[in-house]
Amino acid sequence: MHYVDQGSGDVVLMLHGNPTWGYLWRRLVTALAEDFRCVVPDQLGMGLSRRSVGAAPIPFVERLEHLDVLAAHLIERCGAPSEGWTLAVHDWGGPIGLAWARRHPGLVTRLVVLNSVGFRWPEGYRLPRSLALLRDIGPLGEAAHLLNAFPRAALRAGVVRPLPAEVRSAYLWPYRGAWRRRAVRDFLRQIPRSGEDPAWSLVDPGGDSADHAGLPVFIGWGLRDPVFTPLVLGEWRRRFPHAEVHAFADAGHFVLEDVGEALVGPLRRFLSAR
């Protein structure tokens, strides 16, 4: 597992989703590293981390174990504290990160949520048709995989302000070969829609997220996200009524790209509060 470990102070573990990698968090790391220890891993099969040998998707329980190993390494060998971490999540980082945090009570004591989900889809939610087709129709999903269509489309549809060419290139660079982006395809196929899907146990562990209910929560949200819609934000508000919420009408899925500067100040104050 490739990871960035920059800065000193309280640990902020930042988990990316699909089809991004740790590059997503670069602005936040730069803004926070003077006062916080920013740890940014690339999930296995993504970013600069190792690609799996087999063709089968990495089971979600193994992804949680990867984070177990990273945390143990940081605590036992790199001087990180065994409690008081902040977990920051985006996209798939939400269900994976919150499921991982449930395995380690007391380790994560604050949450930062950026356009993600950590529970079953709220009543009335519908997955966008384009994602549903890529998920459910094998040949279509395979064609998109071979053409690298999903990452390219996500980087255009996920922002309100078009990304500079060099930023798009940086996001796409780890996925320039089809074998390098198998995990991108696998995550698409694994979007949970019912209890029969392997990822369902991440978003529906059998409770109502009560194990996280008392944690301080910061939510930064792009309201023009075609996937994580305002309906999903409403469910976050319902489950965490005490959360500090910053919602932006002029931002999309990649809220850090659209309004990153507007988020840094409030987020720094949130992380500095005791």
Side-chain angles (χ1 to χ4, degrees):
M1 176 179 283
H2 176 274
Y3 71 96
V4 169
D5 183 359
Q6 185 170 336
S8 59
D10 292 343
V11 174
V12 183
L13 177 65
M14 305 177 186
L15 300 184
H16 69 84
N18 186 40
T20 59
W21 55 292
Y23 180 75
L24 171 84
W25 301 100
R26 67 195 184 283
R27 291 179 176 175
L28 207 55
V29 171
T30 300
L32 297 179
E34 183 177 347
D35 300 302
F36 300 93
R37 183 172 181 176
C38 301
V39 177
V40 187
D42 290 338
Q43 297 198 54
L44 266 288
M46 308 192 79
L48 304 182
S49 286
R50 178 179 59 81
R51 271 50 179 166
S52 58
V53 176
I58 297 174
F60 285 104
V61 66
E62 289 189 16
R63 293 200 176 277
L64 302 185
E65 291 168 354
H66 299 161
L67 293 175
D68 289 345
V69 172
L70 174 62
H73 169 74
L74 292 170
I75 293 169
E76 296 170 7
R77 299 191 178 188
C78 302
S82 58
E83 59 183 10
W85 290 25
T86 296
L87 175 65
V89 299
H90 179 260
D91 194 84
W92 269 100
I96 291 173
L98 268 67
W100 173 75
R102 285 192 290 269
R103 296 162 66 105
H104 302 279
L107 178 58
V108 172
T109 55
R110 285 180 295 201
L111 297 177
V112 174
V113 177
L114 307 178
N115 287 71
S116 184
V117 69
F119 36 75
R120 55 191 178 275
W121 298 113
E123 188 70 26
Y125 176 83
R126 295 290 180 271
L127 194 68
R129 181 171 174 78
S130 57
L131 277 186
L133 291 174
L134 291 174
R135 177 193 185 278
D136 298 334
I137 301 178
L140 182 61
E142 192 61 28
H145 166 63
L146 293 175
L147 296 172
N148 203 17
F150 175 64
R152 295 178 184 278
L155 292 173
R156 295 185 182 278
V159 292
V160 173
R161 299 172 181 81
L163 295 173
E166 62 270 20
V167 173
R168 289 200 308 273
S169 296
Y171 271 116
L172 294 171
W173 183 79
Y175 307 122
R176 59 196 182 277
W179 69 275
R180 295 177 181 270
R181 55 180 180 264
R182 287 195 307 242
V184 172
R185 176 197 61 191
D186 294 341
F187 270 118
L188 269 176
R189 292 175 175 175
Q190 293 171 313
I191 295 173
R193 299 179 72 178
S194 73
E196 299 177 358
D197 297 319
W200 195 257
S201 61
L202 296 180
V203 297
D204 189 11
D208 199 28
S209 295
D211 44 350
H212 298 312
L215 299 185
V217 179
F218 179 100
I219 299 176
W221 204 270
L223 291 171
R224 292 173 63 177
D225 189 333
V227 180
F228 299 96
T229 63
L231 189 65
V232 181
L233 173 59
E235 184 66 7
W236 279 107
R237 289 180 184 269
R238 185 186 74 82
R239 290 172 180 256
F240 300 94
H242 61 285
E244 179 182 339
V245 180
H246 298 263
F248 299 89
D250 58 345
H253 179 64
F254 297 107
V255 64
L256 281 175
E257 298 294 347
D258 279 328
V259 293
E261 291 182 2
L263 277 174
V264 166
L267 182 53
R268 177 181 287 277
R269 289 191 293 271
F270 171 81
L271 294 175
S272 299
R274 298 293 180 183

